[in-house]
């Protein structure tokens, strides 16, 4: 919530943003897009769409870039340190469990540093 307040207070958010905002959602984004297309067509213009799947886009960003962007957006002190502590100096491993005849075998990879994306836990 405080992050959204910071972005709004400093006029950083785009007017077209629908995520993480009160009274906006994927539905309001879709309605806005359809209305835009209809308006352009009624004005006699052509409409072209390019659709991208950005669901994994965050995984492409290095932590240093994310932290630099946050700094340029005005995040300082406690807020910036929170993001930095969350993103940096983390490792990951993969563990598989195989169940066979009431016996469980574990397979575990070695730990490797996470330098991109968001650290998460999957159980």
């Amino acid at each position: 919530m405080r992050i959204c307040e910071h972005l709004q207070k400093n006029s950083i958010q785009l007017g077209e943003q629908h995520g993480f905002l009160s009274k906006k959602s994927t539905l309001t984004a879709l309605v806005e897009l359809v209305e835009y297309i209809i308006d352009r067509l009624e004005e006699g213009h052509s409409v072209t769409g390019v659709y991208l799947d950005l669901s994994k886009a965050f995984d492409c960003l290095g932590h240093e870039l994310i932290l630099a962007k946050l700094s340029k957006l005005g995040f300082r002190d406690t807020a910036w340190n929170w993001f930095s502590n969350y993103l940096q100096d983390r490792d990951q491993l993969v563990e598989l469990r195989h169940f066979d005849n009431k016996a469980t075998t574990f397979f575990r990879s070695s730990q490797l540093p996470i330098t991109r994306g968001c650290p998460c836990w999957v159980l």
Side-chain angles (χ1 to χ4, degrees):
M1 186 63 175
R2 290 175 64 189
I3 292 171
C4 290
E5 289 171 7
H6 170 80
L7 296 174
Q8 288 172 341
K9 178 182 169 186
N10 293 288
S11 301
I12 297 171
Q13 282 180 311
L14 298 174
E16 296 83 9
Q17 180 170 337
H18 287 261
F20 308 107
L21 293 178
S22 177
K23 299 180 183 175
K24 289 203 171 186
S25 66
T26 53
L27 180 59
T28 60
L30 184 59
V31 167
E32 192 172 296
L33 173 64
V34 170
E35 287 177 350
Y36 176 84
I37 292 170
I38 290 170
D39 290 346
R40 298 299 82 76
L41 291 174
E42 287 178 346
E43 293 169 359
H45 299 287
S46 296
V47 179
T48 302
V50 176
Y51 301 93
L52 305 170
D53 179 3
L54 300 176
S55 61
K56 296 290 184 181
F58 187 77
D59 291 341
C60 299
L61 299 177
H63 294 164
E64 294 302 323
L65 176 63
I66 294 168
L67 294 172
K69 276 284 211 191
L70 287 170
S71 181
K72 286 186 180 190
L73 290 172
F75 289 89
R76 305 271 185 275
D77 306 320
T78 303
W80 189 89
N81 287 332
W82 184 88
F83 282 107
S84 177
N85 289 336
Y86 180 70
L87 291 173
Q88 294 185 329
D89 299 322
R90 298 221 179 235
D91 292 334
Q92 71 177 9
L93 63 82
V94 176
E95 180 179 273
L96 301 174
R97 297 177 190 172
H98 176 70
F99 302 101
D100 185 28
N101 295 332
K102 299 182 183 178
T104 304
T105 307
F106 293 91
F107 301 94
R108 182 179 282 182
S109 71
S110 58
Q111 285 186 257
L112 296 171
I114 300 173
T115 58
R116 297 182 174 279
C118 185
C120 64
W121 293 266
V122 180
L123 301 175

